[in-house]
Amino acid sequence: MSISGINLNATLTSQLELQKTQNENTDFEAVLQDAIASKDDEALKDACKQIEQYMLSSLFKQMKSSTEMGERLIPKGDYEEMFESYLVDEQCKIMCDAGGIGLADSMYKQMTGAYNTQQNYKK
């Protein structure tokens, strides 16, 4: 019995990627709101780092997809593409832990400045 006509891997992979993106979007917002509500500077810094990681990951994935030229002799499988995606995500995490490109720092400074201004205005 051959099941080669059933392509569940592509469907499953696309659903997992969509779910991962949706979870990241809600996670960023939830972490950010919790950090602001609890006035926790470390949580706010972590939220800014997560946003920087996501931005860098999206940037590198788009750059990688733009450099791929035509069909390969042996096409990539779904698992190879998923592995490359996770590899880029992990490399971006390591990059941000090492200091990143400064996006998280500037976001943190801007958010704390805006929050302090807002608190002073309410007084």
Side-chain angles (χ1 to χ4, degrees):
M1 177 175 164
S2 174
I3 60 169
S4 61
I6 300 174
N7 192 359
L8 293 178
N9 288 338
T11 305
L12 182 61
T13 302
S14 64
Q15 288 176 350
L16 287 173
E17 288 295 325
L18 178 63
Q19 184 178 7
K20 179 183 173 191
T21 302
Q22 290 172 345
N23 288 344
E24 286 175 346
N25 290 342
T26 57
D27 288 344
F28 291 148
E29 186 175 348
V31 169
L32 190 58
Q33 293 302 326
D34 288 344
I36 291 172
S38 66
K39 300 178 184 176
D40 187 6
D41 285 341
E42 285 301 314
L44 185 59
K45 285 180 185 178
D46 288 340
C48 292
K49 269 187 172 180
Q50 287 178 3
I51 292 171
E52 183 176 15
Q53 289 172 13
Y54 180 75
M55 297 284 289
L56 287 174
S57 177
S58 298
L59 176 72
F60 289 141
K61 287 176 186 176
Q62 188 63 38
M63 287 176 17
K64 185 175 182 332
S65 70
S66 69
T67 59
E68 294 174 354
M69 302 178 75
E71 285 291 317
R72 296 172 42 167
L73 182 60
I74 301 173
K76 286 184 185 179
D78 295 330
Y79 296 116
E80 185 178 359
E81 290 179 7
M82 192 182 323
F83 172 77
E84 287 178 354
S85 174
Y86 289 132
L87 180 65
V88 169
D89 291 341
E90 188 62 27
Q91 288 171 337
C92 289
K93 181 181 182 303
I94 292 168
M95 184 186 305
C96 288
D97 288 343
I101 59 173
L103 181 64
D105 292 333
S106 63
M107 286 175 57
Y108 174 75
K109 288 176 186 175
Q110 185 176 7
M111 289 179 156
T112 54
Y115 179 73
N116 290 336
T117 303
Q118 187 179 33
Q119 292 302 317
N120 290 337
Y121 181 72
K122 286 182 179 180
K123 290 180 181 180

